[in-house]
PDB file of all heavy atoms in Angstrom:
ATOM      1  N   GLU A  66      27.781  81.827  90.056  1.00 91.00           N
ATOM      2  CA  GLU A  66      26.447  81.247  89.814  1.00 91.00           C
ATOM      3  C   GLU A  66      25.484  81.583  90.953  1.00 91.00           C
ATOM      4  O   GLU A  66      24.305  81.921  90.713  1.00 91.00           O
ATOM      5  CB  GLU A  66      26.570  79.729  89.658  1.00 91.00           C
ATOM      6  CG  GLU A  66      25.260  79.037  89.310  1.00 91.00           C
ATOM      7  CD  GLU A  66      24.732  79.413  87.945  1.00 91.00           C
ATOM      8  OE1 GLU A  66      25.529  79.757  87.054  1.00 91.00           O
ATOM      9  OE2 GLU A  66      23.493  79.364  87.783  1.00 91.00           O
ATOM     10  N   ALA A  67      25.964  81.550  92.194  1.00 93.00           N
ATOM     11  CA  ALA A  67      25.100  81.875  93.345  1.00 93.00           C
ATOM     12  C   ALA A  67      24.693  83.348  93.295  1.00 93.00           C
ATOM     13  O   ALA A  67      23.538  83.683  93.572  1.00 93.00           O
ATOM     14  CB  ALA A  67      25.831  81.557  94.643  1.00 93.00           C
ATOM     15  N   LEU A  68      25.603  84.235  92.936  1.00 93.00           N
ATOM     16  CA  LEU A  68      25.272  85.650  92.814  1.00 93.00           C
ATOM     17  C   LEU A  68      24.242  85.862  91.713  1.00 93.00           C
ATOM     18  O   LEU A  68      23.320  86.673  91.844  1.00 93.00           O
ATOM     19  CB  LEU A  68      26.512  86.475  92.523  1.00 93.00           C
ATOM     20  CG  LEU A  68      27.348  86.822  93.756  1.00 93.00           C
ATOM     21  CD1 LEU A  68      28.684  87.447  93.350  1.00 93.00           C
ATOM     22  CD2 LEU A  68      26.590  87.763  94.676  1.00 93.00           C
ATOM     23  N   ARG A  69      24.399  85.152  90.591  1.00 91.00           N
ATOM     24  CA  ARG A  69      23.449  85.253  89.498  1.00 91.00           C
ATOM     25  C   ARG A  69      22.051  84.803  89.944  1.00 91.00           C
ATOM     26  O   ARG A  69      21.052  85.449  89.682  1.00 91.00           O
ATOM     27  CB  ARG A  69      23.963  84.409  88.304  1.00 91.00           C
ATOM     28  CG  ARG A  69      23.303  84.733  87.004  1.00 91.00           C
ATOM     29  CD  ARG A  69      23.907  84.061  85.792  1.00 91.00           C
ATOM     30  NE  ARG A  69      24.925  83.079  85.953  1.00 91.00           N
ATOM     31  CZ  ARG A  69      26.254  83.291  85.840  1.00 91.00           C
ATOM     32  NH1 ARG A  69      26.687  84.510  85.589  1.00 91.00           N
ATOM     33  NH2 ARG A  69      27.101  82.324  85.981  1.00 91.00           N
ATOM     34  N   LYS A  70      22.013  83.686  90.670  1.00 92.00           N
ATOM     35  CA  LYS A  70      20.732  83.179  91.188  1.00 92.00           C
ATOM     36  C   LYS A  70      20.097  84.153  92.187  1.00 92.00           C
ATOM     37  O   LYS A  70      18.889  84.378  92.173  1.00 92.00           O
ATOM     38  CB  LYS A  70      20.912  81.820  91.851  1.00 92.00           C
ATOM     39  CG  LYS A  70      21.172  80.685  90.884  1.00 92.00           C
ATOM     40  CD  LYS A  70      21.382  79.389  91.657  1.00 92.00           C
ATOM     41  CE  LYS A  70      21.613  78.225  90.754  1.00 92.00           C
ATOM     42  NZ  LYS A  70      21.815  76.972  91.504  1.00 92.00           N
ATOM     43  N   LEU A  71      20.924  84.714  93.055  1.00 93.00           N
ATOM     44  CA  LEU A  71      20.418  85.665  94.043  1.00 93.00           C
ATOM     45  C   LEU A  71      19.862  86.900  93.373  1.00 93.00           C
ATOM     46  O   LEU A  71      18.773  87.382  93.734  1.00 93.00           O
ATOM     47  CB  LEU A  71      21.524  86.053  95.027  1.00 93.00           C
ATOM     48  CG  LEU A  71      21.145  87.047  96.102  1.00 93.00           C
ATOM     49  CD1 LEU A  71      20.017  86.504  96.970  1.00 93.00           C
ATOM     50  CD2 LEU A  71      22.346  87.403  96.961  1.00 93.00           C
ATOM     51  N   ARG A  72      20.569  87.445  92.378  1.00 92.00           N
ATOM     52  CA  ARG A  72      20.074  88.616  91.676  1.00 92.00           C
ATOM     53  C   ARG A  72      18.733  88.323  90.994  1.00 92.00           C
ATOM     54  O   ARG A  72      17.851  89.166  90.985  1.00 92.00           O
ATOM     55  CB  ARG A  72      21.100  89.112  90.676  1.00 92.00           C
ATOM     56  CG  ARG A  72      22.332  89.726  91.363  1.00 92.00           C
ATOM     57  CD  ARG A  72      23.304  90.375  90.411  1.00 92.00           C
ATOM     58  NE  ARG A  72      22.723  91.604  89.935  1.00 92.00           N
ATOM     59  CZ  ARG A  72      22.676  91.943  88.658  1.00 92.00           C
ATOM     60  NH1 ARG A  72      23.193  91.160  87.746  1.00 92.00           N
ATOM     61  NH2 ARG A  72      22.134  93.085  88.282  1.00 92.00           N
ATOM     62  N   LEU A  73      18.579  87.138  90.436  1.00 90.00           N
ATOM     63  CA  LEU A  73      17.322  86.776  89.795  1.00 90.00           C
ATOM     64  C   LEU A  73      16.199  86.681  90.827  1.00 90.00           C
ATOM     65  O   LEU A  73      15.099  87.176  90.604  1.00 90.00           O
ATOM     66  CB  LEU A  73      17.442  85.482  89.003  1.00 90.00           C
ATOM     67  CG  LEU A  73      16.196  85.082  88.216  1.00 90.00           C
ATOM     68  CD1 LEU A  73      15.822  86.168  87.208  1.00 90.00           C
ATOM     69  CD2 LEU A  73      16.399  83.760  87.521  1.00 90.00           C
ATOM     70  N   GLU A  74      16.475  86.090  91.977  1.00 90.00           N
ATOM     71  CA  GLU A  74      15.466  86.008  93.032  1.00 90.00           C
ATOM     72  C   GLU A  74      15.084  87.404  93.566  1.00 90.00           C
ATOM     73  O   GLU A  74      13.914  87.673  93.849  1.00 90.00           O
ATOM     74  CB  GLU A  74      15.968  85.144  94.204  1.00 90.00           C
ATOM     75  CG  GLU A  74      15.977  83.652  93.873  1.00 90.00           C
ATOM     76  CD  GLU A  74      14.630  83.127  93.462  1.00 90.00           C
ATOM     77  OE1 GLU A  74      13.614  83.435  94.128  1.00 90.00           O
ATOM     78  OE2 GLU A  74      14.558  82.407  92.459  1.00 90.00           O
ATOM     79  N   LEU A  75      16.059  88.301  93.666  1.00 89.00           N
ATOM     80  CA  LEU A  75      15.784  89.675  94.051  1.00 89.00           C
ATOM     81  C   LEU A  75      14.885  90.354  93.014  1.00 89.00           C
ATOM     82  O   LEU A  75      13.941  91.068  93.353  1.00 89.00           O
ATOM     83  CB  LEU A  75      17.068  90.476  94.228  1.00 89.00           C
ATOM     84  CG  LEU A  75      17.921  90.133  95.430  1.00 89.00           C
ATOM     85  CD1 LEU A  75      19.302  90.759  95.301  1.00 89.00           C
ATOM     86  CD2 LEU A  75      17.242  90.593  96.712  1.00 89.00           C
ATOM     87  N   ALA A  76      15.163  90.105  91.724  1.00 87.00           N
ATOM     88  CA  ALA A  76      14.362  90.706  90.651  1.00 87.00           C
ATOM     89  C   ALA A  76      12.945  90.174  90.681  1.00 87.00           C
ATOM     90  O   ALA A  76      11.983  90.951  90.554  1.00 87.00           O
ATOM     91  CB  ALA A  76      14.993  90.411  89.298  1.00 87.00           C
ATOM     92  N   LEU A  77      12.784  88.881  90.865  1.00 86.00           N
ATOM     93  CA  LEU A  77      11.445  88.302  90.896  1.00 86.00           C
ATOM     94  C   LEU A  77      10.668  88.805  92.101  1.00 86.00           C
ATOM     95  O   LEU A  77       9.477  89.079  92.040  1.00 86.00           O
ATOM     96  CB  LEU A  77      11.527  86.794  90.897  1.00 86.00           C
ATOM     97  CG  LEU A  77      12.124  86.154  89.629  1.00 86.00           C
ATOM     98  CD1 LEU A  77      12.273  84.658  89.792  1.00 86.00           C
ATOM     99  CD2 LEU A  77      11.311  86.485  88.405  1.00 86.00           C
ATOM    100  N   GLY A  78      11.333  88.940  93.236  1.00 83.00           N
ATOM    101  CA  GLY A  78      10.676  89.434  94.438  1.00 83.00           C
ATOM    102  C   GLY A  78      10.302  90.907  94.319  1.00 83.00           C
ATOM    103  O   GLY A  78       9.237  91.320  94.751  1.00 83.00           O
ATOM    104  N   ALA A  79      11.176  91.710  93.711  1.00 79.00           N
ATOM    105  CA  ALA A  79      10.907  93.137  93.535  1.00 79.00           C
ATOM    106  C   ALA A  79       9.749  93.343  92.586  1.00 79.00           C
ATOM    107  O   ALA A  79       8.936  94.261  92.768  1.00 79.00           O
ATOM    108  CB  ALA A  79      12.155  93.860  93.045  1.00 79.00           C
ATOM    109  N   ALA A  80       9.637  92.518  91.569  1.00 73.00           N
ATOM    110  CA  ALA A  80       8.553  92.650  90.603  1.00 73.00           C
ATOM    111  C   ALA A  80       7.205  92.333  91.251  1.00 73.00           C
ATOM    112  O   ALA A  80       6.177  92.836  90.802  1.00 73.00           O
ATOM    113  CB  ALA A  80       8.792  91.739  89.411  1.00 73.00           C
ATOM    114  N   ASP A  81       7.199  91.513  92.302  1.00 68.00           N
ATOM    115  CA  ASP A  81       5.962  91.165  92.996  1.00 68.00           C
ATOM    116  C   ASP A  81       5.496  92.253  93.955  1.00 68.00           C
ATOM    117  O   ASP A  81       4.372  92.207  94.439  1.00 68.00           O
ATOM    118  CB  ASP A  81       6.160  89.858  93.796  1.00 68.00           C
ATOM    119  CG  ASP A  81       6.138  88.656  92.882  1.00 68.00           C
ATOM    120  OD1 ASP A  81       5.722  88.773  91.724  1.00 68.00           O
ATOM    121  OD2 ASP A  81       6.534  87.579  93.335  1.00 68.00           O
ATOM    122  N   ALA A  82       6.340  93.210  94.278  1.00 63.00           N
ATOM    123  CA  ALA A  82       5.990  94.252  95.240  1.00 63.00           C
ATOM    124  C   ALA A  82       5.076  95.263  94.587  1.00 63.00           C
ATOM    125  O   ALA A  82       5.515  96.291  94.081  1.00 63.00           O
ATOM    126  CB  ALA A  82       7.257  94.904  95.797  1.00 63.00           C
ATOM    127  N   ARG A  83       3.789  94.987  94.583  1.00 62.00           N
ATOM    128  CA  ARG A  83       2.815  95.830  93.898  1.00 62.00           C
ATOM    129  C   ARG A  83       2.505  97.124  94.629  1.00 62.00           C
ATOM    130  O   ARG A  83       1.982  98.061  94.067  1.00 62.00           O
ATOM    131  CB  ARG A  83       1.532  95.061  93.690  1.00 62.00           C
ATOM    132  CG  ARG A  83       1.679  93.941  92.704  1.00 62.00           C
ATOM    133  CD  ARG A  83       0.330  93.414  92.286  1.00 62.00           C
ATOM    134  NE  ARG A  83       0.538  92.417  91.262  1.00 62.00           N
ATOM    135  CZ  ARG A  83       0.314  91.125  91.435  1.00 62.00           C
ATOM    136  NH1 ARG A  83      -0.115  90.682  92.607  1.00 62.00           N
ATOM    137  NH2 ARG A  83       0.517  90.265  90.475  1.00 62.00           N
ATOM    138  N   ASP A  84       2.812  97.164  95.924  1.00 56.00           N
ATOM    139  CA  ASP A  84       2.465  98.360  96.693  1.00 56.00           C
ATOM    140  C   ASP A  84       3.411  99.532  96.443  1.00 56.00           C
ATOM    141  O   ASP A  84       3.170 100.630  96.888  1.00 56.00           O
ATOM    142  CB  ASP A  84       2.458  98.028  98.189  1.00 56.00           C
ATOM    143  CG  ASP A  84       3.757  97.433  98.682  1.00 56.00           C
ATOM    144  OD1 ASP A  84       4.459  96.786  97.856  1.00 56.00           O
ATOM    145  OD2 ASP A  84       4.086  97.608  99.856  1.00 56.00           O
ATOM    146  N   LEU A  85       4.489  99.280  95.718  1.00 52.00           N
ATOM    147  CA  LEU A  85       5.455 100.342  95.443  1.00 52.00           C
ATOM    148  C   LEU A  85       5.240 100.888  94.022  1.00 52.00           C
ATOM    149  O   LEU A  85       4.871 100.144  93.118  1.00 52.00           O
ATOM    150  CB  LEU A  85       6.869  99.781  95.528  1.00 52.00           C
ATOM    151  CG  LEU A  85       7.279  99.261  96.880  1.00 52.00           C
ATOM    152  CD1 LEU A  85       8.568  98.515  96.778  1.00 52.00           C
ATOM    153  CD2 LEU A  85       7.406 100.413  97.861  1.00 52.00           C
ATOM    154  N   PRO A  86       5.460 102.158  93.822  1.00 55.00           N
ATOM    155  CA  PRO A  86       5.367 102.685  92.458  1.00 55.00           C
ATOM    156  C   PRO A  86       6.497 102.109  91.609  1.00 55.00           C
ATOM    157  O   PRO A  86       7.581 101.807  92.114  1.00 55.00           O
ATOM    158  CB  PRO A  86       5.525 104.207  92.648  1.00 55.00           C
ATOM    159  CG  PRO A  86       6.204 104.362  93.941  1.00 55.00           C
ATOM    160  CD  PRO A  86       5.814 103.168  94.801  1.00 55.00           C
ATOM    161  N   ALA A  87       6.227 101.974  90.346  1.00 57.00           N
ATOM    162  CA  ALA A  87       7.233 101.426  89.439  1.00 57.00           C
ATOM    163  C   ALA A  87       8.368 102.443  89.308  1.00 57.00           C
ATOM    164  O   ALA A  87       8.122 103.635  89.157  1.00 57.00           O
ATOM    165  CB  ALA A  87       6.626 101.135  88.083  1.00 57.00           C
ATOM    166  N   PRO A  88       9.615 101.974  89.368  1.00 55.00           N
ATOM    167  CA  PRO A  88      10.724 102.892  89.197  1.00 55.00           C
ATOM    168  C   PRO A  88      10.850 103.301  87.732  1.00 55.00           C
ATOM    169  O   PRO A  88      10.322 102.624  86.851  1.00 55.00           O
ATOM    170  CB  PRO A  88      11.939 102.060  89.625  1.00 55.00           C
ATOM    171  CG  PRO A  88      11.525 100.667  89.325  1.00 55.00           C
ATOM    172  CD  PRO A  88      10.059 100.599  89.582  1.00 55.00           C
ATOM    173  N   PRO A  89      11.516 104.379  87.441  1.00 57.00           N
ATOM    174  CA  PRO A  89      11.724 104.753  86.041  1.00 57.00           C
ATOM    175  C   PRO A  89      12.578 103.689  85.364  1.00 57.00           C
ATOM    176  O   PRO A  89      13.331 102.965  86.047  1.00 57.00           O
ATOM    177  CB  PRO A  89      12.458 106.083  86.119  1.00 57.00           C
ATOM    178  CG  PRO A  89      13.041 106.115  87.486  1.00 57.00           C
ATOM    179  CD  PRO A  89      12.162 105.295  88.356  1.00 57.00           C
ATOM    180  N   PRO A  90      12.479 103.561  84.048  1.00 60.00           N
ATOM    181  CA  PRO A  90      13.305 102.569  83.353  1.00 60.00           C
ATOM    182  C   PRO A  90      14.777 102.784  83.643  1.00 60.00           C
ATOM    183  O   PRO A  90      15.271 103.919  83.551  1.00 60.00           O
ATOM    184  CB  PRO A  90      12.997 102.800  81.874  1.00 60.00           C
ATOM    185  CG  PRO A  90      11.680 103.493  81.861  1.00 60.00           C
ATOM    186  CD  PRO A  90      11.605 104.269  83.137  1.00 60.00           C
TER     187      PRO A  90
END
Side-chain angles (χ1 to χ4, degrees):
E66 184 66 28
L68 279 170
R69 196 172 8 261
K70 287 178 179 181
L71 179 61
R72 291 187 72 229
L73 184 60
E74 287 302 315
L75 289 167
L77 295 174
D81 284 346
R83 291 194 176 111
D84 56 331
L85 298 169

